[in-house]
Amino acid sequence: MSLHFHREVDRLIDDLISFGEQIEDQLGESIGALMERDIEAAKRVIKNDADMDQIEVEMEEECLKLLALHQPLANDLRQIVSILKMNCDLERVGDHAVNIAERVLDLDALPPIDIPKKILAMSKQARLMLRISLLSFVESDQLLTQGVFEMDDEVDAFQKNIFSQQVKAIEKTPAEAEQRILLLSICKQLERVGDLASNIAEDVVYLMSGDIIRHGGHESAV
């Protein structure tokens, strides 16, 4: 494959890493907005979403252009396909960050309630999963992906536990039902972030080994 092709791929990788950092910042700001009741931060996350969408579209167009012009094979093809998939998953993480920010605005219009500490713990775990999945890509370290898959189980357990707690809280104090339902929606967004971080880790495994490990094949990833 030509030197020009590889330079373009290297540029795409740099752009993907930068995009991942911006998406992680979006997620962190939306979580901070929830915990600090920071309405301005929530509004910034929502406002920045259009820029994130534009980056995702431009990167996809560049990937498709390289596929059409160079028709790469084997490892080169796998690299472009992986970048395409990770680019899409990062944009979806950004969408969930926006959804969390929107729930923060909804909560601000209602009487305040305490945010359960387990939601903060769940949010930290989901964000850490995203960071490690991106690090595994940057460092070309397939071993890191196993930690992401293990943490996904923990995020799922957080969601189940929080759901049970919030249902009990609604039964005890029906007047807070709307706020509790919004918190459950936020937990669902965080659970999806965890799933998308796992998708990115799966893409790293595919990029490095050619193995497709979706549908419960994580044990064979390392």
Side-chain angles (χ1 to χ4, degrees), residues 132-205:
I132 294 176
S133 68
L134 291 170
L135 183 63
S136 70
F137 173 67
V138 172
E139 300 292 338
S140 299
D141 189 343
Q142 190 171 328
L143 286 174
L144 287 173
T145 63
Q146 194 61 35
V148 176
F149 303 138
E150 291 169 359
M151 282 188 284
D152 192 37
D153 293 335
E154 296 174 15
V155 167
D156 291 344
F158 268 123
Q159 186 192 19
K160 291 178 181 178
N161 187 277
I162 293 167
F163 179 84
S164 176
Q165 284 187 341
Q166 294 308 302
V167 168
K168 291 177 181 177
I170 290 171
E171 292 172 348
K172 183 178 180 180
T173 313
E176 295 178 349
E178 192 171 355
Q179 295 97 312
R180 302 291 177 185
I181 290 170
L182 288 170
L183 292 179
L184 289 174
S185 177
I186 288 171
C187 288
K188 183 61 181 177
Q189 308 305 317
L190 292 170
E191 187 267 337
R192 289 298 298 131
V193 168
D195 288 344
L196 291 165
S198 289
N199 287 355
I200 293 170
E202 289 169 358
D203 293 336
V204 171
V205 173

Side-chain angles (χ1 to χ4, degrees), residues 37 107-115 176 179-180:
R37 306 181 191 277
L107 282 167
D108 186 60
L110 297 168
I113 62 171
D114 291 334
I115 306 299
E176 295 178 349
Q179 295 97 312
R180 302 291 177 185

Side-chain angles (χ1 to χ4, degrees), residues 31-72:
I31 293 167
L34 172 67
M35 296 303 165
E36 302 298 327
R37 306 181 191 277
D38 189 339
I39 302 308
E40 292 308 312
K43 290 179 179 178
R44 280 196 300 272
V45 171
I46 295 168
K47 181 180 178 181
N48 290 339
D49 188 50
D51 291 338
M52 300 301 102
D53 289 346
Q54 184 61 32
I55 292 171
E56 188 261 345
V57 169
E58 291 174 357
M59 287 195 59
E60 180 176 320
E61 288 175 347
E62 289 301 312
C63 287
L64 295 176
K65 188 186 300 182
L66 285 178
L67 289 172
L69 291 177
H70 298 276
Q71 299 181 0

Side-chain angles (χ1 to χ4, degrees), residues 60-91:
E60 180 176 320
E61 288 175 347
E62 289 301 312
C63 287
L64 295 176
K65 188 186 300 182
L66 285 178
L67 289 172
L69 291 177
H70 298 276
Q71 299 181 0
L73 299 172
N75 291 344
D76 293 326
L77 175 61
R78 199 160 70 220
Q79 197 164 35
I80 299 298
V81 169
S82 298
I83 291 171
L84 265 172
K85 293 172 67 181
M86 285 187 270
N87 180 49
C88 178
D89 284 336
L90 286 170
E91 189 275 334

